């Protein structure tokens, strides 16, 4: 069991608990609040052994991440007399936490919320950082606000029921924190893949804790994504999102980010910033984690997705580029130049 806190400009101190039983911690938390609601999809609801709060069952995955779910949460919260001193508790994967956080941000102009992530991706990434929101008009995360949770409770018991591919997907983000900011974390993951495969609790606690501490440092430094520091969390994602969308979402998010990191590190080498060994280190670790997929997506569709990327800024892209294992710099690259490099260096485009 390990815990830490990070500071938010808008919400004060956020407590992060790793490897704590969710029922015990939620019980303790209720002393602070007058009322509570749990928001969870039906697939996860049966894994939740805490019955002191009414439950709102939402649709699973991206299907549940819409404005209609927010309206449903608001209506049911009103029906259950959730007041401004109450708390919403999201228990689920990233899509459940994103929609819960957004509903909490707008209900009665804002109530507290707590994240209980149940997928690896949500444990190492989505639960922390305060980016809440929903999909609309065919676009992901197009409506949203930044509001930090008041507490994050990671209960490793939820890992047991995850299907293998869903379980492994989150480790692309762990490699991302490692390669950009924390060589120790990268080495710990890369040299213990057998334990990862066996879902070894001690190792998982270390990797999740390390990932969240790294993310929390970035969020504390640039909570609203305005200072050019938070872009490091996008490493692998500019090309990853493009591969994901050009493949018609036939490739998982974790695999797309993994392949994105290989392409972005190769570009970093071409630009003269990245140690030439890094694309190989990434390829080896991703391959051992079964996160390499040999795909070829349409180059024009992928390049179009990059030009539409929201990180584009006046004809330039601000990109995080790894220098050495565990270090990165921000580089401003002309969009045209970047597209040329992507076409030339990314082997997953046809
Ligand atoms: N806010 C952020 O900073 C942030 C960061 C990364 C991703 N995200 C968002 O997270 C979402 C993806 O999250 P995700 O990968 O966790 O997927 P998800 O929430 O869509 O869940 C994936 C599937 O896993 C199932 N599941 C969840 N927990 C389970 C468990 N313990 N056992 C068995 N099945 C379980 C769910 O029912 C669902 O079918 C995307 O919408 C993405 O935009 C947000």
């Amino acid at each position: 069991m390990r815990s830490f806190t990070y500071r938010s400009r808008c919400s004060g101190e956020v407590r992060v608990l790793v490897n704590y039983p969710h029922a015990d911690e939620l019980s303790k938390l209720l002393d602070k609040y007058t009322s509570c609601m749990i928001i969870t999809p039906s697939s996860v609801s049966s894994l939740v052994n805490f019955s002191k709060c009414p439950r709102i069952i939402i649709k699973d995955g991206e299907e549940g991440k819409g404005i209609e779910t927010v309206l449903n949460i608001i209506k049911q919260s009103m029906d259950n007399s959730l007041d401004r001193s109450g708390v919403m508790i999201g228990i689920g994967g990233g899509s459940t936490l994103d929609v819960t956080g957004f509903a909490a941000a707008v209900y009665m102009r804002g109530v507290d919320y707590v994240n209980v992530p149940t997928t690896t991706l949500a444990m190492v990434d989505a639960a922390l950082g305060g980016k809440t929101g929903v999909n609309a008009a065919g676009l992901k995360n197009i409506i949203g606000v930044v509001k930090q949770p008041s507490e994050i409770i990671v209960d490793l018991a939820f890992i047991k029921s995850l299907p293998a591919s869903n379980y492994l997907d989150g480790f692309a983000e762990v490699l991302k924190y490692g390669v950009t900011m924390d060589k120790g974390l990268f080495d710990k993951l890369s040299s213990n893949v057998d334990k990862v495969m066996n879902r070894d609790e001690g190792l998982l606690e270390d990797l999740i804790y390390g990932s969240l501490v790294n993310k929390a440092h970035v969020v504390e430094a640039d909570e609203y994504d305005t200072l050019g520091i938070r872009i490091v969390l996008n490493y692998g994602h500019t090309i990853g999102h493009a591969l994901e969308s050009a493949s018609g979402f036939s490739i998982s998010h974790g695999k797309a980010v993994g392949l994105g990191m290989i392409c972005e590190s190769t570009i970093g080498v071409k630009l003269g910033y990245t140690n030439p060994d890094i694309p190989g280190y990434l390829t080896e670790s991703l391959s051992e984690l079964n996160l390499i997929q040999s795909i070829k997506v349409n180059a024009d569709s992928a390049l179009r997705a990059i030009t539409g990327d929201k990180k584009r800024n006046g004809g330039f892209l601000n990109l995080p580029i790894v220098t050495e294992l565990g270090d990165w710099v921000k580089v401003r690259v002309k969009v045209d130049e970047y597209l040329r490099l992507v076409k030339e260096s990314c082997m997953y485009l046809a």
Side-chain angles (χ1 to χ4, degrees):
M1 287 176 166
R2 294 169 84 184
S3 65
F4 70 97
T5 58
Y6 70 96
R7 278 207 72 73
S8 149
R9 275 202 282 159
C10 64
S11 323
E13 203 147 88
V14 182
R15 228 158 68 101
V16 184
L17 308 176
V18 180
N19 200 7
Y20 284 70
H22 67 278
D24 295 357
E25 292 311 313
L26 289 175
S27 267
K28 288 183 209 159
L29 196 78
L30 290 192
D31 294 343
K32 271 177 49 185
Y33 295 102
T34 52
S35 47
C36 57
M37 292 299 297
I38 284 179
I39 294 108
T40 189
S42 56
S43 57
V44 174
S45 185
S46 56
L47 307 172
V48 176
N49 51 32
F50 182 73
S51 53
K52 293 184 187 157
C53 307
R55 281 188 201 186
I56 304 174
I57 304 295
I58 62 169
K59 282 189 189 154
D60 221 343
E62 293 301 312
E63 230 197 308
K65 197 171 150 181
I67 202 73
E68 16 359 283
T69 305
V70 177
L71 297 177
N72 176 27
I73 295 171
I74 289 172
K75 162 116 189 23
Q76 293 203 48
S77 298
M78 285 167 59
D79 292 348
N80 284 279
S81 309
L82 187 80
D83 58 31
R84 291 212 57 208
S85 310
V87 62
M88 290 188 187
I89 301 163
I91 310 185
S95 50
T96 300
L97 306 187
D98 281 5
V99 75
T100 301
F102 184 68
V106 296
Y107 180 68
M108 293 186 167
R109 300 202 178 91
V111 295
D112 279 1
Y113 76 101
V114 169
N115 277 339
V116 183
T118 64
T119 62
T120 351
L121 176 74
M123 289 180 188
V124 298
D125 189 359
L128 190 152
K131 286 197 173 175
T132 75
V134 294
N135 307 327
L139 296 167
K140 267 191 72 129
N141 303 325
I142 195 71
I143 302 174
V145 296
V146 175
K147 177 183 167 70
Q148 302 296 332
S150 51
E151 185 151 320
I152 299 164
I153 303 167
V154 177
D155 183 345
L156 296 180
F158 287 112
I159 294 263
K160 293 191 189 114
S161 52
L162 284 173
S165 58
N166 182 322
Y167 166 71
L168 288 173
D169 235 39
F171 290 96
E173 301 292 346
V174 182
L175 279 180
K176 175 196 78 180
Y177 298 120
V179 75
T180 53
M181 294 181 278
D182 188 343
K183 180 179 181 310
L185 183 66
F186 190 92
D187 290 342
K188 181 159 254 168
L189 173 52
S190 312
S191 53
N192 286 293
V193 172
D194 50 336
K195 284 191 177 175
V196 171
M197 293 299 177
N198 291 327
R199 306 193 188 197
D200 179 279
E201 193 174 303
L203 180 73
L204 286 174
E205 180 179 307
D206 283 355
L207 295 177
I208 295 167
Y209 181 85
S211 297
L212 292 175
V213 166
N214 276 292
K215 184 164 181 185
H217 284 149
V218 173
V219 171
E220 273 183 332
D222 187 11
E223 187 169 359
Y224 293 98
D225 210 355
T226 50
L227 304 176
I229 302 167
R230 204 165 166 154
I231 62 163
V232 65
L233 302 175
N234 291 330
Y235 192 65
H237 287 63
T238 300
I239 295 183
H241 284 153
L243 294 173
E244 221 177 342
S245 95
S247 76
F249 294 89
S250 65
I251 170 172
S252 73
H253 181 70
K255 285 180 176 159
V257 168
L259 303 185
M261 287 194 289
I262 294 174
C263 294
E264 290 184 21
S265 60
T266 309
I267 290 172
V269 174
K270 286 213 165 152
L271 287 170
Y273 291 98
T274 304
N275 176 334
D277 293 332
I278 293 206
Y281 294 153
L282 280 167
T283 307
E284 195 180 326
S285 301
L286 288 163
S287 150
E288 288 179 4
L289 288 161
N290 289 334
L291 287 171
I292 296 274
Q293 189 170 334
S294 59
I295 51 156
K296 287 276 183 200
V297 304
N298 180 277
D300 291 339
S301 313
L303 298 181
R304 255 198 315 277
I306 292 173
T307 44
D309 194 283
K310 58 180 179 292
K311 290 170 282 296
R312 188 179 157 186
N313 188 345
F316 286 86
L317 288 165
N318 288 321
L319 300 166
I321 302 269
V322 166
T323 49
E324 292 292 337
L325 263 188
D327 264 314
W328 69 285
V329 286
K330 181 170 82 172
V331 177
R332 199 168 148 79
V333 186
K334 272 195 158 165
V335 174
D336 293 346
E337 162 78 346
Y338 191 65
L339 295 180
R340 186 184 60 74
L341 284 165
V342 174
K343 211 169 173 175
E344 209 175 275
S345 328
C346 187
M347 66 177 109
Y348 308 105
L349 305 186

